[in-house]
Amino acid sequence: MSWQTYVDDHLMCDIDATGHFLSSAAIVGHDGSIWAQSANFPQFKAGEIPGIMKDFDEPGHLAPTGLHLGGTKYMVIQGEPGAVIRGKKGSGGITIKKTGQALVFGIYDEPVTPGQCNMIVERLGDYLIDQGL
């Protein structure tokens, strides 16, 4: 299965048959290389992926400055140290799950809830971890 299929079928899927979808999603290597992404996933700016990786190694690193992705700033909220970073911006937000080789990103806006985004992103991340990825 291609990485794009994981994004299209597992991240950008209809959530619980409600007709609601994540706004955008991607699978990105630890080095910042894009493995696959949805059409409207934001373009990274310099330093954003290294900052995210540092927060996985040193939980709390991003809290003072916020999580930046594509120039958009998210307030960092409770995640799972070393495994999941969550961010909030207005009525939307972001979930990032770290696997052995990749970062799984999901970005959402209402009516999608933070819990729904977390479930979709973390479920795929856990699957990839189980596959040794």
Side-chain angles (χ1 to χ4, degrees):
M1 189 178 330
S2 77
W3 290 113
Q4 193 61 50
T5 304
Y6 282 109
V7 170
D8 295 343
D9 294 351
H10 298 282
L11 294 173
M12 297 301 293
C13 57
D14 187 342
I15 300 168
D16 301 330
T18 57
H20 302 146
F21 300 85
L22 294 179
S23 305
S24 61
I27 302 172
V28 178
H30 287 180
D31 61 358
S33 60
I34 305 286
W35 293 9
Q37 64 183 8
S38 62
N40 55 347
F41 190 76
Q43 181 73 37
F44 296 130
K45 303 229 182 295
E48 290 178 340
I49 295 298
I52 290 168
M53 288 301 296
K54 184 167 183 169
D55 195 79
F56 280 115
D57 294 336
E58 299 173 24
H61 168 73
L62 292 175
T65 59
L67 163 66
H68 292 80
L69 184 66
T72 299
K73 180 179 177 179
Y74 296 88
M75 179 179 66
V76 178
I77 56 175
Q78 182 66 41
E80 295 171 30
V84 180
I85 299 172
R86 297 185 183 109
K88 187 90 172 118
K89 179 175 174 36
S91 61
I94 186 168
T95 302
I96 309 168
K97 171 76 176 186
K98 182 182 180 195
T99 72
Q101 298 177 26
L103 301 173
V104 181
F105 288 81
I107 299 174
Y108 67 93
D109 283 302
E110 282 188 331
V112 175
T113 67
Q116 289 171 318
C117 181
N118 295 343
M119 181 189 65
I120 288 171
V121 170
E122 293 175 37
R123 186 168 49 197
L124 179 59
D126 289 340
Y127 171 78
L128 295 176
I129 290 168
D130 289 346
Q131 300 304 305
L133 299 168

